[in-house]
Coordinates of all heavy atoms in Angstrom, one line a residue:
M230 N 84.7 -129.9 -70.0 CA 84.8 -131.4 -69.7 C 86.2 -131.9 -70.0 O 86.5 -133.0 -69.6 CB 83.7 -132.1 -70.5 CG 82.3 -131.9 -70.1 SD 82.0 -132.4 -68.4 CE 81.6 -134.2 -68.7
A231 N 87.0 -131.2 -70.7 CA 88.2 -131.8 -71.1 C 89.1 -132.1 -70.0 O 89.9 -133.1 -70.0 CB 89.0 -130.8 -72.0
S232 N 89.0 -131.3 -68.9 CA 89.8 -131.6 -67.7 C 89.0 -132.1 -66.5 O 89.2 -131.7 -65.4 CB 90.6 -130.3 -67.4 OG 89.7 -129.3 -67.0
S233 N 88.0 -132.9 -66.8 CA 87.2 -133.4 -65.8 C 88.0 -134.2 -64.7 O 88.6 -135.2 -64.9 CB 86.1 -134.4 -66.3 OG 85.5 -135.0 -65.3
R234 N 88.0 -133.6 -63.5 CA 88.8 -134.2 -62.4 C 88.2 -135.5 -61.9 O 88.8 -136.4 -61.6 CB 88.9 -133.2 -61.3 CG 89.8 -133.6 -60.1 CD 89.7 -132.6 -59.1 NE 88.4 -132.3 -58.6 CZ 87.7 -133.1 -57.9 NH1 88.2 -134.2 -57.4 NH2 86.4 -132.8 -57.5
T235 N 86.8 -135.5 -61.9 CA 86.2 -136.7 -61.4 C 86.3 -137.9 -62.3 O 85.9 -139.0 -61.9 CB 84.7 -136.4 -61.1 OG1 84.1 -135.9 -62.3 CG2 84.5 -135.4 -59.9
G236 N 86.8 -137.6 -63.5 CA 87.0 -138.7 -64.4 C 88.4 -139.3 -64.3 O 88.7 -140.3 -65.0
S237 N 89.2 -138.8 -63.4 CA 90.6 -139.2 -63.3 C 90.7 -140.6 -62.7 O 89.8 -141.0 -61.9 CB 91.4 -138.2 -62.6 OG 91.1 -138.3 -61.2
A238 N 91.8 -141.3 -63.0 CA 92.0 -142.6 -62.4 C 92.1 -142.5 -60.9 O 91.6 -143.4 -60.1 CB 93.2 -143.2 -63.0
T239 N 92.7 -141.5 -60.4 CA 92.9 -141.3 -59.0 C 91.5 -141.2 -58.3 O 91.2 -141.8 -57.3 CB 93.7 -140.0 -58.7 OG1 95.0 -140.2 -59.3 CG2 93.9 -139.8 -57.2
W240 N 90.7 -140.3 -58.9 CA 89.4 -140.1 -58.2 C 88.5 -141.4 -58.3 O 87.9 -141.7 -57.3 CB 88.7 -138.9 -58.9 CG 87.3 -138.7 -58.3 CD1 86.1 -138.9 -59.0 CD2 87.0 -138.4 -57.0 NE1 85.1 -138.7 -58.1 CE2 85.6 -138.3 -56.9 CE3 87.8 -138.0 -55.9 CZ2 84.9 -138.0 -55.7 CZ3 87.1 -137.7 -54.7 CH2 85.7 -137.7 -54.6
K241 N 88.6 -142.1 -59.3 CA 87.9 -143.3 -59.4 C 88.3 -144.3 -58.3 O 87.5 -145.0 -57.7 CB 88.0 -144.0 -60.8 CG 87.2 -143.3 -61.9 CD 87.4 -143.9 -63.2 CE 86.6 -143.2 -64.3 NZ 87.1 -143.5 -65.6
R242 N 89.6 -144.4 -58.1 CA 90.1 -145.2 -57.1 C 89.7 -144.8 -55.7 O 89.2 -145.6 -54.8 CB 91.6 -145.3 -57.1 CG 92.3 -146.4 -56.4 CD 93.7 -146.6 -56.8 NE 94.5 -145.5 -56.5 CZ 95.2 -144.7 -57.3 NH1 95.2 -145.1 -58.6 NH2 95.9 -143.7 -57.0
V243 N 89.8 -143.5 -55.5 CA 89.3 -142.9 -54.2 C 87.9 -143.2 -53.9 O 87.5 -143.7 -52.9 CB 89.6 -141.4 -54.1 CG1 88.9 -140.8 -52.9 CG2 91.1 -141.1 -54.1
R244 N 87.1 -143.0 -55.0 CA 85.6 -143.2 -54.9 C 85.3 -144.6 -54.5 O 84.5 -144.9 -53.6 CB 85.0 -142.9 -56.2 CG 83.5 -142.8 -56.2 CD 83.1 -142.3 -57.6 NE 81.7 -142.0 -57.6 CZ 80.7 -142.9 -57.6 NH1 81.0 -144.2 -57.6 NH2 79.4 -142.5 -57.5
K245 N 86.0 -145.6 -55.1 CA 85.8 -147.0 -54.8 C 86.1 -147.3 -53.4 O 85.4 -148.0 -52.7 CB 86.7 -147.8 -55.8 CG 86.2 -149.2 -56.1 CD 87.1 -149.7 -57.2 CE 87.1 -151.2 -57.2 NZ 87.9 -151.8 -58.3
V246 N 87.3 -146.8 -52.9 CA 87.7 -147.1 -51.5 C 86.7 -146.5 -50.5 O 86.3 -147.1 -49.6 CB 89.1 -146.5 -51.3 CG1 89.4 -146.5 -49.8 CG2 90.1 -147.2 -52.1
V247 N 86.2 -145.2 -50.8 CA 85.3 -144.6 -49.9 C 84.0 -145.4 -49.8 O 83.5 -145.6 -48.7 CB 85.0 -143.1 -50.4 CG1 83.9 -142.5 -49.5 CG2 86.3 -142.3 -50.2
I248 N 83.5 -145.9 -50.9 CA 82.3 -146.6 -50.9 C 82.5 -148.0 -50.2 O 81.7 -148.4 -49.4 CB 81.8 -146.9 -52.4 CG1 81.4 -145.5 -53.0 CG2 80.6 -147.9 -52.4 CD1 81.1 -145.6 -54.5
A249 N 83.7 -148.6 -50.5 CA 84.0 -149.9 -49.8 C 84.0 -149.7 -48.3 O 83.5 -150.5 -47.5 CB 85.3 -150.4 -50.3
R250 N 84.6 -148.6 -47.9 CA 84.7 -148.3 -46.4 C 83.3 -148.1 -45.8 O 83.0 -148.5 -44.7 CB 85.6 -147.1 -46.2 CG 87.0 -147.3 -46.3 CD 87.8 -146.1 -46.0 NE 89.2 -146.3 -46.1 CZ 90.1 -145.3 -45.8 NH1 89.7 -144.1 -45.5 NH2 91.4 -145.5 -46.0
A251 N 82.5 -147.4 -46.6 CA 81.2 -147.1 -46.1 C 80.4 -148.4 -45.9 O 79.7 -148.6 -44.9 CB 80.4 -146.2 -47.0
I252 N 80.5 -149.3 -46.8 CA 79.9 -150.6 -46.7 C 80.4 -151.4 -45.5 O 79.7 -151.9 -44.7 CB 80.0 -151.4 -48.0 CG1 79.3 -150.7 -49.1 CG2 79.6 -152.8 -47.8 CD1 79.5 -151.2 -50.5
R253 N 81.7 -151.4 -45.4 CA 82.4 -152.1 -44.3 C 81.9 -151.5 -43.0 O 81.7 -152.2 -42.0 CB 83.9 -151.9 -44.4 CG 84.7 -152.6 -43.4 CD 86.1 -152.0 -43.3 NE 86.1 -150.6 -42.8 CZ 87.1 -149.8 -42.9 NH1 88.3 -150.2 -43.4 NH2 87.0 -148.5 -42.4
D254 N 81.8 -150.2 -42.9 CA 81.4 -149.6 -41.6 C 79.9 -149.6 -41.4 O 79.4 -149.1 -40.4 CB 81.8 -148.1 -41.6 CG 83.4 -148.0 -41.7 OD1 84.1 -149.0 -41.4 OD2 83.8 -146.9 -42.0
G255 N 79.2 -150.2 -42.3 CA 77.8 -150.4 -42.1 C 76.9 -149.1 -42.3 O 75.8 -149.0 -41.9
L256 N 77.5 -148.1 -43.0 CA 76.8 -146.9 -43.3 C 75.7 -147.3 -44.3 O 75.9 -148.0 -45.3 CB 77.7 -145.9 -44.0 CG 77.1 -144.6 -44.4 CD1 77.1 -143.6 -43.2 CD2 77.8 -143.9 -45.6
D257 N 74.5 -146.8 -44.0 CA 73.4 -147.1 -44.9 C 72.6 -145.8 -45.2 O 71.7 -145.9 -46.0 CB 72.5 -148.3 -44.5 CG 71.9 -148.0 -43.1 OD1 72.2 -147.0 -42.5 OD2 71.0 -148.8 -42.7
K258 N 72.9 -144.8 -44.5 CA 72.2 -143.5 -44.7 C 73.1 -142.4 -45.0 O 74.3 -142.3 -44.5 CB 71.4 -143.2 -43.4 CG 70.3 -144.2 -43.1 CD 69.4 -143.7 -41.9 CE 68.3 -144.6 -41.6 NZ 68.8 -145.7 -40.8
C259 N 72.6 -141.4 -45.7 CA 73.3 -140.2 -46.0 C 73.6 -139.5 -44.7 O 72.7 -139.2 -43.9 CB 72.5 -139.3 -46.9 SG 73.2 -137.7 -47.2
P260 N 74.9 -139.1 -44.5 CA 75.2 -138.4 -43.2 C 74.6 -137.0 -43.1 O 74.6 -136.4 -42.1 CB 76.8 -138.4 -43.2 CG 77.1 -138.6 -44.7 CD 76.1 -139.4 -45.3
L261 N 74.2 -136.5 -44.3 CA 73.6 -135.2 -44.3 C 72.1 -135.1 -44.1 O 71.6 -134.3 -43.4 CB 74.0 -134.5 -45.6 CG 75.5 -134.3 -45.8 CD1 75.8 -133.6 -47.2 CD2 76.1 -133.5 -44.7
C262 N 71.4 -136.0 -44.8 CA 70.0 -135.9 -44.7 C 69.3 -137.2 -44.2 O 68.1 -137.2 -44.0 CB 69.4 -135.6 -46.1 SG 69.6 -136.9 -47.3
G263 N 70.1 -138.2 -44.0 CA 69.5 -139.5 -43.4 C 68.8 -140.3 -44.4 O 68.2 -141.3 -44.0
T264 N 68.8 -140.0 -45.7 CA 68.2 -140.8 -46.7 C 68.9 -142.2 -46.8 O 70.1 -142.2 -46.8 CB 68.2 -140.1 -48.1 OG1 67.5 -138.9 -48.0 CG2 67.6 -141.0 -49.2
L265 N 68.1 -143.2 -47.0 CA 68.7 -144.5 -47.2 C 69.5 -144.5 -48.5 O 69.1 -144.0 -49.5 CB 67.6 -145.6 -47.3 CG 68.1 -147.0 -47.1 CD1 68.6 -147.3 -45.7 CD2 66.9 -148.0 -47.4
L266 N 70.8 -145.0 -48.4 CA 71.6 -145.0 -49.6 C 71.7 -146.3 -50.3 O 71.7 -147.4 -49.7 CB 73.1 -144.6 -49.2 CG 73.2 -143.2 -48.5 CD1 74.6 -143.1 -48.0 CD2 72.9 -142.1 -49.6
D267 N 71.8 -146.2 -51.6 CA 71.9 -147.4 -52.5 C 73.4 -147.7 -52.7 O 74.0 -147.6 -53.7 CB 71.3 -147.1 -53.8 CG 71.3 -148.3 -54.7 OD1 71.5 -149.4 -54.2 OD2 71.2 -148.2 -55.9
L268 N 74.1 -148.2 -51.6 CA 75.5 -148.4 -51.6 C 75.8 -149.7 -52.5 O 76.9 -149.8 -53.0 CB 76.0 -148.7 -50.2 CG 76.3 -147.4 -49.4 CD1 76.5 -147.8 -48.0 CD2 77.5 -146.7 -50.0
H269 N 74.9 -150.5 -52.7 CA 75.2 -151.8 -53.4 C 74.7 -151.7 -54.8 O 74.8 -152.7 -55.5 CB 74.6 -153.0 -52.6 CG 75.1 -153.1 -51.2 ND1 76.3 -153.7 -50.9 CD2 74.6 -152.6 -50.1 CE1 76.5 -153.6 -49.6 NE2 75.5 -153.0 -49.1
G270 N 74.2 -150.6 -55.2 CA 73.7 -150.5 -56.6 C 72.5 -151.3 -56.9 O 72.3 -151.8 -58.0
T271 N 71.7 -151.6 -55.9 CA 70.5 -152.5 -56.1 C 69.3 -151.7 -56.5 O 68.3 -152.2 -56.9 CB 70.2 -153.3 -54.9 OG1 70.0 -152.3 -53.8 CG2 71.3 -154.2 -54.5
G272 N 69.4 -150.3 -56.4 CA 68.3 -149.5 -56.7 C 67.4 -149.3 -55.5 O 66.4 -148.6 -55.5
D273 N 67.8 -149.9 -54.4 CA 67.0 -149.8 -53.2 C 67.6 -148.7 -52.3 O 68.5 -149.0 -51.4 CB 67.1 -151.2 -52.4 CG 66.1 -151.3 -51.3 OD1 65.2 -150.4 -51.2 OD2 66.3 -152.2 -50.5
G274 N 67.2 -147.5 -52.5 CA 67.8 -146.4 -51.8 C 68.2 -145.3 -52.8 O 68.0 -145.4 -54.0
A275 N 68.7 -144.2 -52.3 CA 69.1 -143.1 -53.1 C 70.4 -143.3 -53.8 O 71.3 -143.9 -53.2 CB 69.1 -141.8 -52.2
P276 N 70.5 -142.8 -55.0 CA 71.8 -142.8 -55.7 C 72.9 -142.2 -54.8 O 72.6 -141.2 -54.1 CB 71.6 -142.1 -57.0 CG 70.2 -142.0 -57.1 CD 69.6 -142.0 -55.8
I277 N 74.1 -142.7 -54.8 CA 75.2 -142.1 -54.0 C 76.2 -141.3 -54.8 O 76.3 -141.5 -56.0 CB 75.9 -143.2 -53.2 CG1 76.6 -144.2 -54.2 CG2 75.0 -144.0 -52.3 CD1 77.5 -145.2 -53.5
D278 N 76.9 -140.4 -54.1 CA 78.0 -139.7 -54.6 C 79.1 -139.8 -53.5 O 78.8 -139.9 -52.4 CB 77.6 -138.3 -54.9 CG 77.3 -138.0 -56.4 OD1 77.6 -138.9 -57.2 OD2 76.7 -137.0 -56.7
V279 N 80.3 -139.6 -54.0 CA 81.4 -139.5 -53.0 C 81.8 -138.0 -53.0 O 81.9 -137.4 -54.1 CB 82.6 -140.4 -53.4 CG1 83.8 -140.1 -52.5 CG2 82.2 -141.8 -53.3
D280 N 81.9 -137.5 -51.8 CA 81.9 -136.0 -51.6 C 83.2 -135.7 -50.9 O 83.6 -136.4 -50.0 CB 80.7 -135.6 -50.8 CG 80.6 -134.2 -50.5 OD1 81.1 -133.4 -51.3 OD2 80.1 -133.8 -49.4
H281 N 83.8 -134.6 -51.2 CA 85.0 -134.1 -50.4 C 84.5 -133.5 -49.1 O 83.6 -132.7 -49.2 CB 85.8 -133.1 -51.2 CG 86.6 -133.7 -52.3 ND1 86.1 -133.8 -53.6 CD2 87.8 -134.1 -52.4 CE1 87.0 -134.3 -54.4 NE2 88.1 -134.6 -53.7
L282 N 85.1 -133.9 -48.0 CA 84.7 -133.2 -46.7 C 85.0 -131.7 -46.8 O 84.3 -130.9 -46.4 CB 85.5 -133.9 -45.6 CG 85.2 -135.3 -45.3 CD1 86.2 -135.9 -44.4 CD2 83.8 -135.5 -44.8
I283 N 86.1 -131.4 -47.4 CA 86.5 -130.0 -47.7 C 86.4 -129.9 -49.2 O 87.1 -130.7 -49.9 CB 87.9 -129.7 -47.1 CG1 87.9 -129.9 -45.6 CG2 88.3 -128.3 -47.5 CD1 89.3 -129.9 -45.1
P284 N 85.6 -129.0 -49.7 CA 85.5 -128.8 -51.1 C 86.9 -128.8 -51.8 O 87.8 -128.1 -51.3 CB 84.7 -127.5 -51.3 CG 84.0 -127.4 -50.0 CD 84.8 -128.0 -49.0
Y285 N 87.0 -129.4 -52.9 CA 88.2 -129.5 -53.7 C 88.8 -128.0 -53.9 O 89.9 -127.8 -53.8 CB 88.0 -130.2 -55.0 CG 89.3 -130.5 -55.7 CD1 90.0 -131.6 -55.3 CD2 89.6 -129.8 -56.8 CE1 91.2 -131.9 -56.0 CE2 90.8 -130.1 -57.5 CZ 91.6 -131.1 -57.1 OH 92.7 -131.4 -57.8
S286 N 87.8 -127.1 -54.2 CA 88.2 -125.8 -54.5 C 88.8 -125.1 -53.2 O 89.4 -124.0 -53.3 CB 87.0 -125.0 -55.0 OG 86.0 -125.0 -54.1
L287 N 88.6 -125.6 -52.0 CA 89.1 -125.0 -50.8 C 90.3 -125.9 -50.3 O 90.7 -125.7 -49.1 CB 88.0 -125.0 -49.8 CG 86.8 -124.0 -50.1 CD1 85.8 -124.1 -48.9 CD2 87.3 -122.6 -50.4
G288 N 90.8 -126.7 -51.1 CA 92.0 -127.4 -50.7 C 91.7 -128.9 -50.3 O 92.6 -129.6 -49.8
G289 N 90.5 -129.4 -50.5 CA 90.2 -130.8 -50.2 C 91.0 -131.6 -51.1 O 91.3 -131.3 -52.3
Q290 N 91.4 -132.8 -50.7 CA 92.2 -133.7 -51.4 C 91.5 -134.9 -51.9 O 90.6 -135.4 -51.3 CB 93.4 -134.1 -50.6 CG 94.3 -132.9 -50.2 CD 95.5 -133.3 -49.5 OE1 95.7 -134.4 -49.0 NE2 96.5 -132.4 -49.6
D291 N 92.0 -135.5 -53.0 CA 91.5 -136.7 -53.5 C 92.1 -137.9 -52.7 O 93.0 -138.6 -53.2 CB 91.8 -136.9 -55.0 CG 90.9 -136.0 -55.9 OD1 89.9 -135.5 -55.3 OD2 91.3 -135.8 -57.0
H292 N 91.6 -138.1 -51.5 CA 92.1 -139.1 -50.7 C 90.9 -139.7 -49.9 O 90.1 -139.0 -49.5 CB 93.2 -138.6 -49.7 CG 93.8 -139.6 -48.9 ND1 93.2 -140.2 -47.8 CD2 95.0 -140.2 -49.1 CE1 94.1 -141.2 -47.3 NE2 95.2 -141.2 -48.1
P293 N 90.9 -141.0 -49.8 CA 89.7 -141.6 -49.1 C 89.4 -141.0 -47.7 O 88.3 -140.9 -47.4 CB 90.2 -143.1 -49.0 CG 91.1 -143.3 -50.1 CD 91.9 -142.0 -50.2
D294 N 90.5 -140.6 -47.0 CA 90.2 -140.1 -45.7 C 89.6 -138.7 -45.8 O 89.2 -138.1 -44.8 CB 91.6 -140.0 -44.9 CG 92.1 -141.4 -44.5 OD1 91.3 -142.3 -44.6 OD2 93.2 -141.5 -44.1
A295 N 89.7 -138.1 -46.9 CA 89.2 -136.7 -47.1 C 87.8 -136.7 -47.7 O 87.3 -135.6 -48.1 CB 90.2 -135.9 -47.9
C296 N 87.2 -137.9 -47.9 CA 86.0 -137.9 -48.6 C 85.0 -138.8 -47.9 O 85.3 -139.5 -46.9 CB 86.2 -138.6 -50.0 SG 87.3 -137.6 -51.0
R297 N 83.7 -138.7 -48.3 CA 82.7 -139.5 -47.6 C 81.6 -139.8 -48.7 O 81.5 -139.1 -49.7 CB 82.1 -138.8 -46.5 CG 81.4 -137.5 -46.9 CD 80.8 -136.7 -45.8 NE 80.4 -135.4 -46.3 CZ 79.9 -134.5 -45.5 NH1 79.6 -134.7 -44.3 NH2 79.6 -133.3 -46.0
V298 N 80.7 -140.7 -48.3 CA 79.6 -141.0 -49.2 C 78.4 -140.2 -48.7 O 78.1 -140.1 -47.5 CB 79.3 -142.5 -49.1 CG1 78.0 -142.8 -49.9 CG2 80.4 -143.3 -49.6
T299 N 77.8 -139.5 -49.6 CA 76.5 -138.9 -49.4 C 75.5 -139.3 -50.5 O 75.9 -139.9 -51.4 CB 76.6 -137.3 -49.4 OG1 76.9 -136.9 -50.7 CG2 77.7 -136.8 -48.4
C300 N 74.3 -138.9 -50.3 CA 73.3 -139.1 -51.4 C 73.6 -138.1 -52.4 O 74.2 -137.0 -52.2 CB 71.9 -139.1 -50.9 SG 71.2 -137.4 -50.6
R301 N 73.2 -138.4 -53.6 CA 73.5 -137.5 -54.8 C 72.9 -136.1 -54.6 O 73.5 -135.1 -55.0 CB 73.1 -138.2 -56.1 CG 73.5 -137.5 -57.3 CD 73.5 -138.4 -58.5 NE 74.4 -139.5 -58.4 CZ 74.4 -140.5 -59.2 NH1 73.5 -140.7 -60.1 NH2 75.3 -141.5 -59.0
S302 N 71.7 -136.1 -54.1 CA 71.0 -134.8 -54.1 C 71.7 -133.9 -53.1 O 71.8 -132.7 -53.3 CB 69.6 -134.9 -53.8 OG 69.4 -135.5 -52.5
C303 N 72.2 -134.4 -52.0 CA 73.0 -133.6 -51.0 C 74.3 -133.1 -51.7 O 74.6 -131.9 -51.6 CB 73.3 -134.4 -49.8 SG 71.9 -134.5 -48.6
N304 N 75.0 -134.0 -52.3 CA 76.2 -133.6 -53.0 C 76.0 -132.5 -54.0 O 76.7 -131.6 -54.1 CB 76.9 -134.8 -53.6 CG 78.3 -134.5 -54.0 OD1 79.0 -133.7 -53.4 ND2 78.8 -135.2 -55.0
R305 N 75.0 -132.7 -54.8 CA 74.7 -131.8 -55.9 C 74.3 -130.4 -55.3 O 74.7 -129.4 -55.8 CB 73.6 -132.3 -56.8 CG 74.0 -133.6 -57.5 CD 74.7 -133.3 -58.8 NE 75.5 -134.4 -59.2 CZ 75.0 -135.4 -60.0 NH1 73.8 -135.4 -60.5 NH2 75.8 -136.4 -60.3
S306 N 73.5 -130.5 -54.3 CA 73.0 -129.2 -53.7 C 74.1 -128.4 -53.0 O 74.0 -127.2 -52.9 CB 71.8 -129.4 -52.8 OG 72.2 -130.1 -51.7
R307 N 75.0 -129.2 -52.5 CA 76.1 -128.6 -51.9 C 77.1 -127.9 -52.8 O 77.5 -126.8 -52.5 CB 76.9 -129.7 -51.1 CG 77.8 -129.1 -50.0 CD 78.5 -130.2 -49.4 NE 79.9 -129.9 -49.4 CZ 80.9 -130.6 -48.8 NH1 80.5 -131.7 -48.1 NH2 82.1 -130.2 -48.8
G308 N 77.3 -128.5 -53.9 CA 78.2 -127.9 -54.9 C 79.6 -127.7 -54.5 O 80.0 -128.4 -53.5
N309 N 80.3 -126.8 -55.1 CA 81.7 -126.7 -54.9 C 82.0 -125.3 -54.2 O 81.6 -124.3 -54.7 CB 82.5 -126.7 -56.2 CG 83.7 -127.6 -56.1 OD1 83.9 -128.3 -55.1 ND2 84.5 -127.6 -57.1
G310 N 82.6 -125.4 -53.1 CA 83.0 -124.1 -52.4 C 81.9 -123.4 -51.7 O 82.0 -122.2 -51.4
T311 N 80.9 -124.1 -51.3 CA 79.8 -123.5 -50.6 C 80.1 -123.5 -49.1 O 81.1 -124.1 -48.7 CB 78.5 -124.3 -50.8 OG1 78.7 -125.7 -50.6 CG2 77.9 -124.0 -52.2
R312 N 79.3 -122.9 -48.3 CA 79.6 -122.7 -46.9 C 79.4 -124.0 -46.2 O 78.3 -124.3 -45.6 CB 78.7 -121.7 -46.3 CG 78.6 -120.4 -47.1 CD 77.6 -119.4 -46.5 NE 76.3 -119.7 -47.0 CZ 75.9 -119.3 -48.3 NH1 76.7 -118.7 -49.1 NH2 74.6 -119.6 -48.6
T313 N 80.4 -124.8 -46.1 CA 80.2 -126.1 -45.5 C 81.3 -126.5 -44.5 O 81.5 -127.6 -44.2 CB 80.2 -127.2 -46.6 OG1 81.4 -127.1 -47.3 CG2 79.0 -127.1 -47.4
R314 N 82.0 -125.5 -44.0 CA 83.1 -125.8 -43.1 C 82.6 -126.6 -41.9 O 83.2 -127.5 -41.4 CB 83.8 -124.5 -42.7 CG 84.8 -124.1 -43.6 CD 85.3 -122.7 -43.3 NE 84.2 -121.8 -43.5 CZ 84.2 -120.5 -43.2 NH1 85.3 -120.0 -42.6 NH2 83.2 -119.7 -43.4
R315 N 81.5 -126.2 -41.3 CA 81.0 -126.9 -40.2 C 80.6 -128.3 -40.5 O 80.9 -129.2 -39.8 CB 79.8 -126.2 -39.6 CG 79.5 -126.6 -38.2 CD 78.5 -125.8 -37.5 NE 77.2 -125.9 -38.2 CZ 76.1 -125.4 -37.7 NH1 76.1 -124.7 -36.6 NH2 74.9 -125.5 -38.3
G316 N 79.9 -128.5 -41.6 CA 79.6 -129.8 -42.1 C 80.8 -130.7 -42.3 O 80.8 -131.9 -41.9
A317 N 81.9 -130.1 -42.8 CA 83.1 -130.9 -43.0 C 83.7 -131.4 -41.7 O 84.1 -132.5 -41.6 CB 84.1 -130.0 -43.8
V318 N 83.7 -130.5 -40.7 CA 84.3 -130.9 -39.5 C 83.4 -132.1 -38.9 O 84.0 -133.1 -38.4 CB 84.3 -129.7 -38.5 CG1 84.7 -130.2 -37.1 CG2 85.3 -128.7 -39.0
Q319 N 82.2 -131.9 -38.9 CA 81.3 -133.0 -38.3 C 81.4 -134.3 -39.1 O 81.4 -135.3 -38.5 CB 79.8 -132.5 -38.4 CG 79.6 -131.4 -37.4 CD 78.1 -131.0 -37.4 OE1 77.4 -131.2 -38.4 NE2 77.7 -130.3 -36.4
A320 N 81.6 -134.2 -40.4 CA 81.7 -135.4 -41.1 C 82.9 -136.2 -40.8 O 82.9 -137.5 -40.9 CB 81.7 -135.1 -42.6
V321 N 83.9 -135.6 -40.4 CA 85.1 -136.3 -40.0 C 84.8 -137.3 -38.9 O 85.3 -138.4 -38.8 CB 86.3 -135.4 -39.6 CG1 87.4 -136.1 -39.0 CG2 86.7 -134.6 -40.8
R322 N 83.9 -136.9 -38.0 CA 83.6 -137.7 -36.9 C 82.5 -138.7 -37.2 O 82.1 -139.5 -36.4 CB 83.1 -136.8 -35.7 CG 84.2 -135.8 -35.3 CD 84.0 -135.3 -33.9 NE 82.6 -135.0 -33.6 CZ 82.0 -133.8 -33.4 NH1 82.8 -132.8 -33.6 NH2 80.8 -133.7 -33.1
A323 N 82.0 -138.6 -38.5 CA 81.0 -139.5 -39.0 C 79.8 -139.7 -38.1 O 79.4 -140.8 -37.8 CB 81.7 -140.8 -39.3
E324 N 79.3 -138.6 -37.6 CA 78.1 -138.8 -36.7 C 76.9 -138.5 -37.5 O 76.9 -137.6 -38.3 CB 78.2 -137.8 -35.5 CG 79.3 -138.2 -34.6 CD 79.5 -137.2 -33.4 OE1 78.6 -136.4 -33.3 OE2 80.5 -137.4 -32.7
P325 N 75.8 -139.2 -37.2 CA 74.6 -139.1 -38.1 C 73.8 -137.8 -37.8 O 72.9 -137.4 -38.5 CB 73.8 -140.3 -37.7 CG 74.3 -140.7 -36.4 CD 75.7 -140.3 -36.3
R326 N 74.2 -137.1 -36.7 CA 73.3 -136.0 -36.3 C 73.9 -134.7 -36.9 O 73.8 -133.6 -36.3 CB 73.3 -135.8 -34.8 CG 74.6 -135.7 -34.1 CD 74.5 -135.6 -32.6 NE 75.8 -135.6 -32.0 CZ 76.5 -134.5 -31.9 NH1 76.2 -133.4 -32.5 NH2 77.7 -134.5 -31.3
T327 N 74.4 -134.8 -38.1 CA 74.9 -133.6 -38.8 C 73.8 -132.5 -39.0 O 72.7 -132.8 -39.4 CB 75.4 -134.0 -40.2 OG1 76.4 -135.0 -40.0 CG2 76.0 -132.8 -40.9
I328 N 74.2 -131.3 -38.7 CA 73.2 -130.2 -38.8 C 73.4 -129.6 -40.2 O 74.6 -129.3 -40.6 CB 73.4 -129.2 -37.7 CG1 73.2 -129.8 -36.4 CG2 72.5 -128.0 -38.0 CD1 73.8 -129.0 -35.2
I329 N 72.4 -129.5 -40.9 CA 72.5 -129.0 -42.3 C 72.0 -127.5 -42.3 O 70.9 -127.2 -41.8 CB 71.7 -129.8 -43.3 CG1 72.0 -131.3 -43.1 CG2 71.9 -129.3 -44.7 CD1 71.0 -132.2 -43.8
E330 N 72.8 -126.7 -42.9 CA 72.3 -125.3 -43.1 C 71.8 -125.2 -44.5 O 72.5 -125.3 -45.5 CB 73.5 -124.4 -43.0 CG 74.1 -124.4 -41.6 CD 75.2 -123.4 -41.5 OE1 75.1 -122.3 -42.1 OE2 76.2 -123.8 -40.9
W331 N 70.5 -125.1 -44.6 CA 69.9 -125.0 -46.0 C 69.8 -123.5 -46.4 O 69.6 -122.6 -45.6 CB 68.5 -125.6 -46.0 CG 68.6 -127.0 -45.9 CD1 68.3 -127.8 -44.8 CD2 69.0 -127.9 -46.9 NE1 68.5 -129.1 -45.1 CE2 68.9 -129.2 -46.4 CE3 69.4 -127.8 -48.3 CZ2 69.2 -130.3 -47.1 CZ3 69.7 -128.9 -49.0 CH2 69.6 -130.2 -48.4
Ligands
ZN566 ZN1 71.6 -136.7 -48.4

């Protein structure tokens, strides 16, 4: 935990921007599973996470354009460095019909 990347100031800023953009764009569902997201922290919907389109371990960057909002369970189940190249490409286009490989 000593070198927690997600605790960095940069990541916190990125996370905030990504969530703000999602709200601005009217995103209300997880792009992966379609679950309603709790973007406003009201408890009405699934807890959210900000996810790298390309896993950090594969060269993904801490930049708002390289990240997206998903529900927490999708982000957790995806983990780091899993087989998500196709998902990453689709997410860039932000289309809700993302195909998930379970
Ligand atoms: Zn999800």
Side-chain angles (χ1 to χ4, degrees):
M230 288 297 273
S232 61
S233 170
R234 186 182 54 77
T235 55
S237 75
T239 301
W240 177 247
K241 282 179 184 165
R242 196 166 61 240
V243 168
R244 191 176 191 282
K245 205 168 155 182
V246 169
V247 172
I248 293 170
R250 284 183 179 180
I252 292 170
R253 181 199 65 192
D254 295 344
L256 180 86
D257 60 354
K258 294 190 180 78
C259 172
L261 298 178
C262 70
T264 297
L265 195 66
L266 296 173
D267 182 19
L268 280 167
H269 301 278
T271 58
D273 191 15
I277 61 170
D278 262 345
V279 173
D280 180 32
H281 287 89
L282 294 171
I283 299 168
Y285 192 77
S286 58
L287 295 180
Q290 298 187 337
D291 284 347
H292 187 281
D294 290 344
C296 300
R297 64 177 167 182
V298 173
T299 67
C300 77
R301 187 162 294 168
S302 61
C303 279
N304 190 31
R305 297 273 157 92
S306 65
R307 198 181 126 172
N309 225 9
T311 48
R312 310 176 274 284
T313 53
R314 274 168 297 171
R315 196 171 65 173
V318 170
Q319 288 182 340
V321 170
R322 305 200 320 250
E324 291 178 11
R326 57 181 177 78
T327 302
I328 298 161
I329 309 167
E330 295 179 43
W331 289 104

